[in-house]
Amino acid sequence: MNGKGMYALRIVIGGYLVYLGLSLLIQMMNEKPENMALMSAMAVIFIIVGAVYAVLTLRKVLQVRKEEKEAEEKEIENDHEEK
């Protein structure tokens, strides 16, 4: 899998962790089990880790796209200078 595909997969994984955390948190609020504090803490950790992972990966994708665009513009500029 190429780099762009891996970035997309990482964003999906981060989103899935957020989804799992939210689902777990909602389930804990509805059922109110004995270990609610522990399970709620784990849900919050899933949400935070997933969101941070997705956001950092998205920032990296945007940075890579910006660098590719700048390289393309320099290449076009160099082609015009040669002619």
Side-chain angles (χ1 to χ4, degrees):
M1 188 178 284
N2 64 9
K4 292 179 183 178
M6 287 301 295
Y7 288 137
L9 183 62
R10 289 178 181 178
I11 292 171
V12 169
I13 290 170
Y16 185 65
L17 284 173
V18 171
Y19 168 77
L20 284 177
L22 287 173
S23 297
L24 185 59
L25 197 58
I26 290 169
Q27 185 178 2
M28 291 303 106
M29 294 298 166
N30 290 336
E31 294 178 10
K32 301 202 186 304
E34 290 181 19
N35 62 348
M36 184 173 169
L38 175 65
M39 296 298 284
S40 297
M42 292 303 296
V44 170
I45 290 171
F46 273 40
I47 293 168
I48 292 170
V49 169
V52 168
Y53 194 63
V55 168
L56 291 178
T57 303
L58 185 59
R59 286 181 61 194
K60 180 66 175 173
V61 168
L62 294 175
Q63 180 183 0
V64 167
R65 288 182 69 191
K66 181 179 176 184
E67 290 172 358
E68 287 177 353
K69 185 176 179 181
E70 289 174 355
E72 187 176 298
E73 288 174 356
K74 284 183 181 180
E75 184 177 318
I76 292 171
E77 190 177 292
N78 289 340
D79 288 343
H80 286 271
E81 288 177 1
E82 290 177 1
K83 292 180 181 182

